[in-house]
Amino acid sequence: AAGVIQSPRHLIKEKRETATLKCYPIPRHDTVYWYQQGPGQDPQFLISFYEKMQSDKGSIPDRFSAQQFSDYHSELNMSSLELGDSALYFCASSFSNNSPLHFGNGTRLTVT
Amino acid sequence: AQTVTQSQPEMSVQEAETVTLSCTYDTSESDYYLFWYKQPPSRQMILVIRQEAYKQQNATENRFSVNFQKAAKSFSLKISDSQLGDAAMYFCAYRSVNAGNNRKLIWGLGTSLAVNP
């Protein structure tokens, strides 16, 4: 069965650089979520999209932005990167309220 | 606002034995979903089991089962016949069924489970 695909798997950036993370949800899933998980922490919700419209916003810094495209893939754009942005970034997708969230394998971002 | 509490930061179990991970939550909603996710050292986030609040029957998935006590707002995970591959961080999560918004998961802080051979 198709799963949520995230790219890249690993990303190393320097401070003040920009990064773009991509997420391809499971086909026919109508909602995409972005989470940030720091070392030893639970995932922190950043933002979600339902049918290509932003549906909920969490603790996403102003330096970050995200969007969902017509093919339902989503991108998380991160600018002016800081050391504290180093984390595992998960994308998840779901279909309606009746299905659980299915997570991608995550993108590990390291900011040096 | 809903909250999820996992009061056991770490647990351990002997291989082949049974362990129960606890989770409590707080909500004013009557209908919602509860999940247990497993995060092994690979850091993948894997769905273990889910429970719909309107169903009284406890969910079961092979060696994994839950004890859902709606009145007590408790949602514990029981792992039977523990295997070395069960060693992971386990997260309890809540999800509203409110179609308006808030489809996101609300997470507990996790319980790190070690399985001893």
Side-chain angles (χ1 to χ4, degrees):
Chain A
V4 177
I5 298 172
Q6 289 187 248
S7 67
R9 290 295 304 275
H10 302 275
L11 190 58
I12 300 175
K13 291 286 185 177
E14 295 188 354
K15 281 174 55 177
R16 292 179 288 277
E17 285 193 322
T18 297
T20 297
L21 280 54
K22 296 185 178 182
C23 171
Y24 296 84
I26 293 173
R28 294 190 303 279
H29 278 195
D30 56 16
T31 308
V32 167
Y33 312 78
W34 286 97
Y35 285 86
Q36 176 193 58
Q37 187 180 27
Q41 297 180 359
D42 59 309
Q44 297 296 310
F45 172 70
L46 293 178
I47 195 167
S48 64
F49 293 88
Y50 170 65
E51 286 291 345
K52 294 165 280 185
M53 299 289 290
Q54 181 181 310
S55 57
D56 199 5
K57 196 171 183 180
S59 52
I60 184 169
D62 292 339
R63 299 177 289 108
F64 295 6
S65 65
Q67 56 182 321
Q68 188 176 28
F69 294 86
S70 58
D71 65 351
Y72 288 88
H73 94 271
S74 179
E75 294 184 2
L76 178 66
N77 298 292
M78 311 159 72
S79 62
S80 303
L81 287 169
E82 302 173 356
L83 296 178
D85 296 330
S86 295
L88 186 60
Y89 290 83
F90 282 109
C91 172
S93 72
S94 71
F95 177 68
S96 80
N97 273 330
N98 295 324
S99 76
L101 274 64
H102 296 266
F103 285 81
N105 287 331
T107 293
R108 185 176 299 280
L109 172 67
T110 303
V111 181
T112 62
Chain B
Q2 297 85 15
T3 59
V4 176
T5 302
Q6 293 179 251
S7 58
Q8 306 152 314
E10 297 178 346
M11 294 277 288
S12 64
V13 62
Q14 290 295 126
E15 196 175 3
E17 294 192 344
T18 296
V19 65
T20 298
L21 309 184
S22 67
C23 172
T24 58
Y25 58 94
D26 190 26
T27 183
S28 59
E29 298 179 326
S30 60
D31 199 11
Y32 45 87
Y33 295 99
L34 296 165
F35 305 92
W36 278 98
Y37 280 89
K38 167 186 176 181
Q39 190 174 39
S42 66
R43 303 295 300 278
Q44 287 180 279
M45 194 67 80
I46 303 165
L47 176 67
V48 175
I49 200 166
R50 72 165 173 169
Q51 176 79 42
E52 292 146 334
Y54 66 86
K55 289 187 176 179
Q56 292 189 346
Q57 187 174 8
N58 289 325
T60 298
E61 285 288 339
N62 301 314
R63 297 182 295 106
F64 298 87
S65 61
V66 297
N67 183 4
F68 174 48
Q69 300 290 327
K70 191 173 183 180
K73 295 180 183 174
S74 171
F75 182 61
S76 61
L77 174 70
K78 185 172 83 171
I79 306 175
S80 304
D81 186 24
S82 297
Q83 301 175 359
L84 295 177
D86 295 333
M89 181 72 83
Y90 286 82
F91 290 98
C92 178
Y94 172 103
R95 186 184 187 200
S96 172
V97 299
N98 183 349
N101 53 32
N102 280 336
R103 293 181 171 201
K104 64 180 183 290
L105 292 171
I106 297 168
W107 302 87
L109 292 179
T111 297
S112 178
L113 177 66
V115 180
N116 304 315

